[in-house]
Amino acid sequence: MKKFQLNSSVFLFVLILSFSVSWAALSSILEVTPGSLDFVGCLQSHSNNVTSISQVTFTSRNASFLPTWQVHVQNTRFLKPSTRKPSVIVTPVDETLVQTTLFCAKKHGYELRIRSGGHDYEGLSYTADVPFVMLDFTNMRSIDVDVANRTAWIQAGAALGALYYAISQKTDTLYFPAGVCPTVGVGGYMGGGGYGNLLRKYGTAADNVLDARFMDVNGNILDRKSMGEDLFWAIRGGGASSFGIVLAWKLRLVPVPEKVTVFILNKTLEQGATELFHKYQTVIPAIDRNLHMRTQVYGEYIGNTTKKTIRIMFEGIYQGTTDTLLPLLDEKFPELGVTREICEEIKMVQSTLVFWGLPSSTPTEILTNRSAIAKINNKSKSDYVRKPIPISGLKKLWRKLMENDQSAFLMINPFGGRIADFSETAIPYPHRAGVLLQILKSVNFNGQASDTTPVSLRRIAWLQSLDELLTPYVSKNPREAYFNYNDLDFGVGSANYEEASIWGERYWKRDNFKKLIRIKAKVDPLNFFRHPQSIPVFSTPLSDM
């Protein structure tokens, strides 16, 4: 981790050595908008290298401003002229500039948005309704894998795909239990909990975070020991950007076999998909922890006819060989019909390719190339299922999906196993024991100029009606939702606990949300780090409400 370290004393030394350059000299290098003049001047006055500042700082008059903003907007529904953009983008190469950016944003009244990968579902890391500076960690993405100690330090701007690739270059028998989308940035991912194909074996990504480098509102760089266990608890699943700036995470790598077994099997209604899914809900959350089997559900036409059906894609990954997997499924789920012919034994890193829809033979280097991975263009919502959805409920769900114009799909992941071993309060992520399934519901805006065309608005309305239909079949009091799939439809009010609890308890449940609020009040009492669904600070102490 030595390569990442730059402590506060070094930062002060840089400030002492900084020299003054006139604004005219700076503006000849970096064009700025009037609203950002003071901020960029502040950066310049606290730096000893004006040219360096110009290379990593962008304003709206700079030719690189829009491409820099656009490149990691992973949800293209925000790529439209009406989206509010930052006054300034800063892409630091070291921790000193992160400290300077924080200092200048506070001094000149800007809010700060922090982007590591740009996958946030409401664009909160790169949009805002107020003047803001975007701190983009694209230039801070170093990864240091320590095979002997089964750990890795990874900077906030690195993506999951790059992490997996870096691990695979050193060993085939270690991995990290995170998601399958290669372009997700780790800075925010662990901050929301993070789940993936190893959740039943090893829990969430945040369950496997060992340490962090973290900058608080005063610019102090902290590790787990110096920040204390309360703050370390909060940033692992409670939305780290509510409390400060994650610079890097220290991760526990977990053992995996040299080869894992994957399979993909499609079933339609005519092939018994309803009955299969009904059984899937109870069998798979309770099965051997080495097996994870997610499903994707679509409505589609039958051949060239006008008749519709439902197709369910069963995607399995087993931490072992085909010879061991097949007897397990023959015993527990023979109806599914998994055969040797559809099983493939591959390296764990290759399984990430398969679950992202690529052939296992694809060169794994693609995982490091963010521009090679397709972006999304959708609106999504999440739910948790704690009781099996009955056949009657599934039939209602299928009918609703067949009403859609084929812009929708469901992504369903089974829980149980290791993720349920942890207490709901072990970290802020609370969706643990008793959860059978997590459901991601999405509609896309493909073929539409924006998400506000009549067709797009009908798709959004359909998604809302799907949400209503599922109400009897998903968790209650609260109706749980996953913070990394943030959803502003829940509301953004935070004037008092009653208002904030409408959305906060859905993400974290009551005990965790209240604890997060108390920690926030201690570490960021003036609520500098904020966005529409950040942990709030109340004028009245929580204990008095």
Side-chain angles (χ1 to χ4, degrees):
M1 188 54 197
K2 291 181 179 178
K3 70 173 79 172
F4 300 155
Q5 293 179 348
L6 184 58
N7 61 31
S8 299
S9 62
V10 175
F11 173 60
L12 293 174
F13 182 66
V14 171
L15 295 186
I16 292 169
L17 292 180
S18 64
F19 59 86
S20 176
V21 178
S22 70
W23 174 251
L26 179 64
S27 61
S28 67
I29 299 171
L30 178 67
E31 290 189 275
V32 297
T33 57
S36 57
L37 185 149
D38 290 340
F39 175 84
V40 179
C42 178
L43 292 183
Q44 172 267 325
S45 68
H46 291 87
S47 171
N48 63 353
N49 191 328
V50 176
T51 302
S52 175
I53 290 293
S54 73
Q55 292 170 346
V56 297
T57 307
F58 309 93
T59 69
S60 59
R61 291 183 184 177
N62 187 287
S64 298
F65 175 84
L66 197 57
T68 300
W69 178 80
Q70 289 177 333
V71 67
H72 295 316
V73 174
Q74 299 295 344
N75 193 337
T76 60
R77 75 181 171 104
F78 295 107
L79 292 178
K80 54 188 178 183
S82 60
T83 299
R84 293 284 294 271
K85 299 171 183 64
S87 299
V88 185
I89 301 171
V90 183
T91 59
V93 296
D94 57 41
E95 294 174 352
T96 295
L97 187 52
V98 179
Q99 288 171 311
T100 308
T101 301
L102 172 60
F103 171 79
C104 292
K106 290 167 61 180
K107 180 178 180 180
H108 293 286
Y110 283 101
E111 289 193 10
L112 197 64
R113 295 292 185 268
I114 304 163
R115 185 169 78 176
S116 62
H119 267 269
D120 52 311
Y121 278 34
E122 297 285 9
L124 300 182
S125 65
Y126 50 82
T127 67
D129 292 331
V130 296
F132 72 104
V133 170
M134 187 179 83
L135 188 63
D136 190 334
F137 277 104
T138 186
N139 291 327
M140 293 179 65
R141 54 180 188 269
S142 296
I143 301 169
D144 184 6
V145 176
D146 183 344
V147 173
N149 291 304
R150 295 186 176 184
T151 62
W153 272 105
I154 179 166
Q155 283 187 302
L160 293 178
L163 171 62
Y164 300 149
Y165 181 77
I167 297 170
S168 73
Q169 293 306 289
K170 292 192 172 185
T171 176
D172 291 326
T173 58
L174 293 174
Y175 217 61
F176 185 70
V180 299
C181 183
T183 52
V184 169
V186 301
Y189 176 77
M190 254 69 77
Y195 76 95
N197 285 344
L198 289 172
L199 72 90
R200 303 190 63 256
K201 181 76 171 179
Y202 294 114
T204 71
D207 292 325
N208 292 278
V209 169
L210 299 172
D211 205 340
R213 283 183 64 76
F214 182 81
M215 188 177 296
D216 70 11
V217 71
N218 298 313
N220 300 310
I221 297 176
L222 310 171
D223 61 10
R224 178 174 183 171
K225 183 177 180 180
S226 57
M227 77 175 73
E229 286 301 305
D230 275 356
L231 181 53
F232 186 62
W233 176 88
I235 64 175
R236 291 174 297 146
S241 63
S242 287
F243 302 93
I245 304 169
V246 173
L247 302 168
W249 297 104
K250 183 180 182 181
L251 311 177
R252 177 195 295 114
L253 304 184
V254 300
V256 295
E258 288 189 6
K259 294 289 182 71
V260 299
T261 303
V262 298
F263 63 87
I264 297 176
L265 183 63
N266 287 279
K267 296 288 186 177
T268 64
L269 294 185
E270 294 71 24
Q271 296 169 320
T274 302
E275 293 72 20
L276 288 172
F277 187 85
H278 186 253
K279 183 170 182 178
Y280 163 89
Q281 296 178 95
T282 52
V283 170
I284 300 304
I287 207 166
D288 187 327
R289 297 180 180 198
N290 287 303
L291 177 62
H292 183 80
M293 190 190 303
R294 77 177 186 186
T295 56
Q296 296 189 54
V297 186
Y298 304 86
E300 61 184 24
Y301 288 100
I302 299 175
N304 295 321
T305 72
T306 57
K307 184 180 179 181
K308 285 188 174 181
T309 188
I310 294 295
R311 175 169 58 90
I312 302 179
M313 181 189 300
F314 294 86
E315 300 174 284
I317 176 170
Y318 179 68
Q319 302 295 306
T321 66
T322 306
D323 287 341
T324 309
L325 169 65
L326 292 178
L328 172 67
L329 287 175
D330 285 344
E331 177 188 354
K332 302 291 186 180
F333 203 2
E335 301 90 341
L336 188 58
V338 175
T339 62
R340 186 175 298 274
E341 289 70 28
I342 67 169
C343 293
E344 183 181 14
E345 294 183 4
I346 56 179
K347 296 178 181 179
M348 188 67 192
V349 69
Q350 293 175 289
S351 74
T352 297
L353 298 171
V354 171
F355 273 72
W356 190 242
L358 299 172
S360 62
S361 59
T362 304
T364 55
E365 288 84 357
I366 196 173
L367 295 173
T368 68
N369 185 353
R370 295 191 188 190
S371 63
I373 306 297
K375 297 187 177 186
I376 59 176
N377 180 19
N378 64 19
K379 167 67 179 179
S380 299
K381 294 178 174 292
S382 62
D383 264 311
Y384 290 87
V385 174
R386 289 180 172 269
K387 295 181 179 180
I389 301 174
I391 293 287
S392 59
L394 292 177
K395 289 180 177 180
K396 291 178 183 178
L397 178 56
W398 306 156
R399 285 195 292 270
K400 173 60 69 172
L401 282 168
M402 287 190 281
E403 290 174 6
N404 182 265
D405 62 358
Q406 293 188 279
S407 64
F409 86 105
L410 306 180
M411 176 81 76
I412 302 170
N413 275 273
F415 273 39
R418 179 61 176 158
I419 196 170
D421 291 343
F422 293 88
S423 162
E424 288 187 351
T425 59
I427 62 172
Y429 181 93
H431 318 294
R432 302 286 190 171
V435 173
L436 298 176
L437 309 171
Q438 180 194 46
I439 303 179
L440 173 66
K441 307 157 286 183
S442 292
V443 291
N444 68 59
F445 305 109
N446 298 342
Q448 299 302 302
S450 74
D451 59 350
T452 58
T453 66
V455 170
S456 294
L457 293 176
R458 284 198 297 272
R459 291 175 180 177
I460 292 172
W462 178 90
L463 182 62
Q464 292 168 337
S465 68
L466 173 66
D467 215 40
E468 294 172 5
L469 182 146
L470 282 172
T471 300
Y473 309 113
V474 297
S475 58
K476 301 173 179 63
N477 302 316
R479 181 172 180 172
E480 300 166 67
Y482 178 38
F483 178 67
N484 273 354
Y485 296 155
N486 53 2
D487 186 353
L488 295 185
D489 291 349
F490 298 160
V492 297
S494 57
N496 52 57
Y497 185 81
E498 181 179 7
E499 196 171 79
S501 66
I502 295 171
W503 50 269
E505 290 187 7
R506 293 192 67 165
Y507 294 136
W508 297 291
K509 294 195 174 182
R510 180 179 295 268
D511 288 347
N512 287 356
F513 189 40
K514 286 190 171 184
K515 183 175 179 179
L516 289 167
I517 291 170
R518 287 192 290 268
I519 295 169
K520 170 75 170 181
K522 291 179 181 178
V523 302
D524 184 21
L526 299 181
N527 199 27
F528 173 76
F529 292 109
R530 62 187 183 272
H531 58 72
Q533 287 183 344
S534 59
I535 303 300
V537 173
F538 302 129
S539 56
T540 303
L542 187 61
S543 58
D544 297 338
M545 292 184 180

